Amino acid sequence: MKRRRAATLSALVCLLAATAAAPAAPAGSDGSGGAPPRESGHLSLLDSVPRSGVLEVCTTGDYRPFTHLDPEDGTYTGIDIKMAEDLAESLDARPEFVATTWANLTKDVAAGRCDIGVGGVSITLPRARQVYFGEPTREDGKTPIVRCADKERFGAGQLADIDKPGTTVIVNPGGTNEQFARENIEQATIKLHPENTTIFREIVEGRADVMMTDASETLYQSKINPELCSLHPEKPFTFSEKAYALPRGDDEFKEYVDQFTHLAKRDGTYAAYEEEWMGTGS
């Protein structure tokens, strides 16, 4: 499967390289007022990554199932880590992971500190002003996760079932989870917990009752913590999409990554990585 996809992507590299080398039409020559051609001598990452043999990948390492940094041996694992490794291999390169934070991920991609940003990155309009986003890898959205023993307490798991006095909703500060909770929770108590890697233990050990986060994360956490149950992950409260962040202006590289993602989603590669980490059955 990977061999067939690699052959297809290799052919695409050749095609896109030939297209990039063709003389560029003057800006707006078709009356459309299009963007000016790329500066002469500027190499697309589609060309420079195979030449250098290294694909620099920005990732936070703190958002399983997509990206996780092992503090003991410094290795990265996760769905998007595997995808980044496959992408590098398809470009005859090796991945070099660059540590970043959620506040700086798209800034680092835009500044050229890495070639691509991965790790469960949600598409937002503010981020899209800084970077290109590739073809979405999956749909997602906010959904609750609770102790399985408390499932009946929360009924259908709707906001009205959660937003009640005596319920503690835990969130990690500064992100979309906190934003969603503050926009929708009026009667329950909102508790901030700064550590993404330990926040779910607060629910397991009874110091909080509910967390509303991406459905993909609730599926993973319920898999590794059998005490926890994800409520209606197939019908989340919100809609979002995850994708890889790419440098603005490098259309040849974006087109290649789009095709890579498209093939991985349709030949079973991406689904296999999701099944390994989340047990989605998809």
Side-chain angles (χ1 to χ4, degrees), residues 13 33 40 58 60 78 91 113 120 145 159 164 184 192 234 255-256 273:
V13 171
S40 177
C58 277
T60 63
L91 291 166
R113 298 188 182 96
I145 186 169
L159 286 169
K164 295 179 178 179
N184 292 279
L192 297 180
E234 71 289 349
E255 186 174 350
Y256 182 82
Y273 295 152

Side-chain angles (χ1 to χ4, degrees), residues 5 8 12 15 56 62 164 187 193 200 204 219 277 280:
R5 182 153 55 90
T8 303
L12 182 64
L15 176 61
E56 295 182 320
D62 66 350
K164 295 179 178 179
Q187 301 182 68
H193 186 79
F200 293 95
V204 171
L219 288 168
W277 280 83
T280 60

Side-chain angles (χ1 to χ4, degrees), residues 52 70 75 176 193 221 247 252 268 271:
S52 68
D70 189 317
T75 59
T176 56
H193 186 79
Q221 289 295 332
E252 294 91 351

